[in-house]
Amino acid sequence: MRPIRNIVILTGAGISAESGIDTFRGGGGLWERHRVEDVATPEAFARDPDLVLRFYDMRRAAIQTRAPNPAHDALARLDHQWSGDLLIVTQNVDDLHERAGARRVLHMHGQHLSAWCTACDTRSPWRETLIDRPPCPACGKRTLRPDVVWFGEMPYEMERIYGALRSADLFVSIGTSGAVYPAAGFVRDARQLGAATLELNLERSQGSAWFHETRLGPAGELVPEWVDEVLASQ
Ligand code: BJW
């Protein structure tokens, strides 16, 4: 394995689970209570916008009552102290990485605290509800939608992500089930490009076989341990 200089970290819902934010799959996950087809596709939004807006209004309100946990704190510490390239690619739409202090964060599935105007294509910071059809701050039209990536839509910043994967020496995946593409394919891409690959998860994921190493346990414990380790190797 080559020396570690450039790190790409992929995070999923599992890193925010200990902050009290629901994961999607598995027991108690969001998809147990809401059908994906009803709330997380553009077709669902066209068919029943009130249902979709209420689902996201509820989650946008909830994340604002939650706080980062030791896993977010540890990644923020790594971001500040790692002298090489580092990119935290999160599938999460919460803002807990940023609230922990991380700066090199990219939200490939969008963000709860942003609204996207489908009329003028402006994205605006947003904390309130959308169900009441507020006007877009830029154009005034009542055409705002959650700024999140639904099934069938293109995730954000793919070129930047693949650029980072191409130069990564280490790819680390934290708390994601490996069920959703293209994120689920990053481990294979990174490995084929020569990076070392490490998975930190509560249990084995659909992608576990692709990783050089998998460590099992809660992110709040595993991530601070791994960050100490990687900073000591610097
Ligand atoms: C812990 C823990 C603790 C718990 N500590 N760990 C057939 C084959 C291949 C692909 C497709 C296909 N048919 C369709 C597709 C494409 C489709 C797809 O992947 N479908 C699959 C279901 C098969 N993908 C898309 O449509 C994407 N777009 C796309 O592909 O565009 C074309 C394209 C082509 C080429 C290049 C690029 C693009 C868009 C996907 C959009 C996903 N959107 C959502 C909703 C976002 C908004 C919202 O939040 O509502 O994103 S779905 C949902 O899943 C959300 C998540 O980001 C995503 C991933 O979930 P995640 O984070 O992995 O959570 P969970 O719940 O699944 O797992 C939690 C994990 O945590 C578990 O492993 C636990 O063990 C662990 N855990 N507690 C550590 N304490």
Side-chain angles (χ1 to χ4, degrees):
M1 291 288 168
R2 57 198 192 207
I4 296 167
R5 180 92 194 126
N6 301 333
I7 305 177
V8 175
I9 299 165
L10 173 70
T11 66
I15 197 168
S16 295
E18 289 158 72
S19 294
I21 297 178
D22 291 330
T23 61
F24 294 92
R25 297 165 186 82
L30 275 171
W31 296 159
E32 226 175 47
R33 283 166 280 141
H34 308 269
R35 282 172 12 114
V36 178
E37 303 80 10
D38 291 340
V39 292
T41 65
E43 293 78 16
F45 186 53
R47 194 169 53 239
D48 192 345
D50 281 12
L51 178 74
V52 174
L53 292 175
R54 267 196 210 96
F55 175 68
Y56 283 95
D57 283 352
M58 176 191 78
R59 291 173 57 208
R60 190 181 310 103
I63 63 144
Q64 295 181 65
T65 67
R66 304 293 189 256
N69 67 53
H72 299 102
D73 293 340
L75 291 189
R77 184 160 55 90
L78 179 64
D79 182 17
H80 284 261
Q81 296 180 11
W82 185 252
S83 54
D85 280 354
L86 178 138
L87 183 63
I88 300 170
V89 178
T90 188
Q91 299 169 87
N92 297 344
V93 294
D94 65 54
D95 63 338
L96 297 187
H97 285 305
E98 287 87 347
R99 276 201 268 151
R103 292 170 301 202
R104 291 179 272 184
V105 182
L106 182 159
H107 285 267
M108 66 176 289
H109 290 165
Q111 303 188 57
H112 273 318
L113 299 184
S114 173
W116 173 26
C117 177
T118 54
C120 72
D121 200 28
T122 301
R123 290 176 162 83
S124 306
W126 205 265
R127 292 189 167 269
E128 309 302 327
T129 55
L130 289 173
I131 186 72
D132 35 340
R133 308 301 197 282
C136 166
C139 74
K141 293 209 175 116
R142 297 181 183 275
T143 44
L144 294 174
R145 60 160 270 187
D147 188 8
V148 300
V149 178
W150 288 320
F151 284 107
E153 296 184 322
M154 185 63 84
Y156 296 154
E157 307 224 48
M158 292 308 299
E159 273 185 32
R160 204 174 137 207
I161 296 172
Y162 284 121
L165 288 173
R166 273 193 291 276
S167 61
D169 304 306
L170 175 63
F171 172 79
V172 184
S173 167
I174 303 171
T176 175
S177 59
V180 176
Y181 287 84
F186 292 166
V187 57
R188 197 175 51 184
D189 299 331
R191 191 171 173 153
Q192 285 168 348
L193 289 161
T197 54
L198 169 66
E199 174 179 48
L200 308 177
N201 202 317
L202 199 56
E203 49 195 41
R204 284 180 69 78
S205 72
Q206 293 187 29
S208 287
W210 280 100
F211 290 87
H212 290 104
E213 184 186 354
T214 292
R215 298 183 190 174
L216 300 181
E221 289 174 19
L222 292 186
V223 178
E225 282 167 16
W226 169 71
V227 166
D228 287 345
E229 208 176 285
V230 75
L231 282 174
S233 75
Q234 190 166 224

